[in-house]
Amino acid sequence: MSGAAGETDAAGENGERPTIDALLEDARRRLAGSPRERRGDWVQARRLLGFGRAPRIVPVGDVWHVGVLLIADAEVYATGEVLRARTEAPRGYTAEAQRERSERAAAAARGGFADGEVVHLGAEPLDLGALRRGEASGPLSVVAGVVHVRWSASGAPRPLADYLDEQFALR
């Protein structure tokens, strides 16, 4: 431990700060063999015999869900909406937001997700090039040469290396 209470030194064994590429390579290595979840995206169905069909959410890739990040083989995304696919059924709702969420879950089931499968919708790709240049992208930023993550709207940014270590410890 060094610095303020609870902070760890994000420098590597030789005193160098790990790059975003090194952090992600290490994360992928640590995640190898862990189950993945799928990202989904909206597709408007073509008209069939002049009739419109309900929109659906189709699978677009596999990712590891690590807190506020979705880590794929080559890309990294900021987590968007997380829902579970569910077949459509008549239900009573007390709130319009509940009805809309249920419609998205049904759209995922129509798109090929299994009933109960986790679906990541609206994940934003992070610009790793911007991070390499010291700029921010999504919940990631670079402060004094160290990649940081903002894990909540009200939380202070913390070193990504520490955040990843904590996330892996929770698995």
Side-chain angles (χ1 to χ4, degrees), residues 104-139:
R104 290 190 298 276
R110 283 192 303 274
F113 288 93
D115 209 36
E117 182 178 358
V118 173
V119 179
H120 293 276
L121 185 62
E124 292 292 324
L126 300 183
D127 183 351
L128 300 181
L131 291 161
R132 289 181 197 109
R133 293 187 302 271
E135 302 166 9
S137 182

Side-chain angles (χ1 to χ4, degrees), residues 8-152:
T8 59
D9 186 2
E13 291 177 17
N14 57 4
E16 292 181 20
R17 306 283 184 193
T19 64
I20 184 67
D21 298 303
L23 289 169
L24 293 174
E25 181 181 324
D26 181 57
R28 288 180 180 108
R29 181 189 55 75
R30 292 166 76 177
L31 288 164
S34 298
R36 294 186 183 205
E37 297 172 353
R38 295 196 290 174
R39 288 188 317 110
D41 202 1
W42 286 100
V43 171
Q44 288 296 334
R46 294 178 296 174
R47 296 179 78 77
L48 183 62
L49 300 174
F51 294 98
R53 295 174 29 203
R56 53 200 169 105
I57 299 170
V58 298
V60 294
D62 295 335
V63 294
W64 288 289
H65 185 191
V66 183
V68 297
L69 302 175
L70 299 176
I71 302 174
D73 289 331
E75 302 88 14
V76 180
Y77 302 87
T79 302
E81 179 181 11
V82 181
L83 54 94
R84 288 194 181 269
R86 185 175 62 207
T87 54
E88 209 161 4
R91 293 180 173 89
Y93 297 98
T94 57
E96 186 61 27
Q98 218 176 359
R99 177 183 313 280
E100 291 168 359
R101 185 166 178 79
S102 181
E103 288 171 1
R104 290 190 298 276
R110 283 192 303 274
F113 288 93
D115 209 36
E117 182 178 358
V118 173
V119 179
H120 293 276
L121 185 62
E124 292 292 324
L126 300 183
D127 183 351
L128 300 181
L131 291 161
R132 289 181 197 109
R133 293 187 302 271
E135 302 166 9
S137 182
L140 300 180
S141 60
V142 180
V143 179
V146 178
V147 181
H148 282 69
V149 61
R150 181 174 294 279
W151 54 276
S152 77

Side-chain angles (χ1 to χ4, degrees), residues 148-171:
H148 282 69
V149 61
R150 181 174 294 279
W151 54 276
S152 77
S154 61
R158 61 183 291 203
L160 180 59
D162 295 346
Y163 177 79
L164 291 172
D165 285 343
E166 181 179 274
Q167 289 293 314
F168 295 138
L170 294 173
R171 291 181 171 264

